[in-house]
Amino acid sequence: MNRLKQRLKRIWQTARLSANLMAGVPDYDNYVAQQRKHNPNAPVMSKLQFLDYCSKRRSGSGGGKCC
């Protein structure tokens, strides 16, 4: 029974992450994990900085591209 709970939890997390990414909501935890893995000595943005960066990048302000 415990295995089933864990599996359902993993499925739910994956579905939630997929839906958020399709809706344009970035995943901060994934960003932090990737940053630590590939650039362990580089600074990591705070959650607020990360969301602001993603918002500006999506809207095209600050030199980013839209569409």
Side-chain angles (χ1 to χ4, degrees), residues 5-66:
K5 255 185 173 177
Q6 290 175 345
R7 185 170 178 173
L8 288 174
K9 184 178 179 180
R10 241 182 301 127
I11 290 170
W12 172 250
Q13 289 172 339
T14 302
R16 183 179 52 83
L17 175 61
S18 297
N20 283 341
L21 291 174
M22 284 188 278
V25 178
D27 183 38
Y28 179 72
D29 295 331
N30 190 39
Y31 156 73
V32 171
Q34 291 297 314
Q35 188 72 356
R36 296 271 185 241
K37 180 179 177 182
H38 296 288
N39 304 308
N41 297 325
V44 176
M45 290 184 267
S46 70
K47 190 167 189 169
L48 184 61
Q49 289 171 323
F50 175 74
L51 293 174
D52 185 52
Y53 166 79
C54 291
S55 174
K56 286 179 181 173
R57 186 170 174 209
R58 218 175 27 248
S59 67
S61 59
K65 293 183 178 180
C66 178

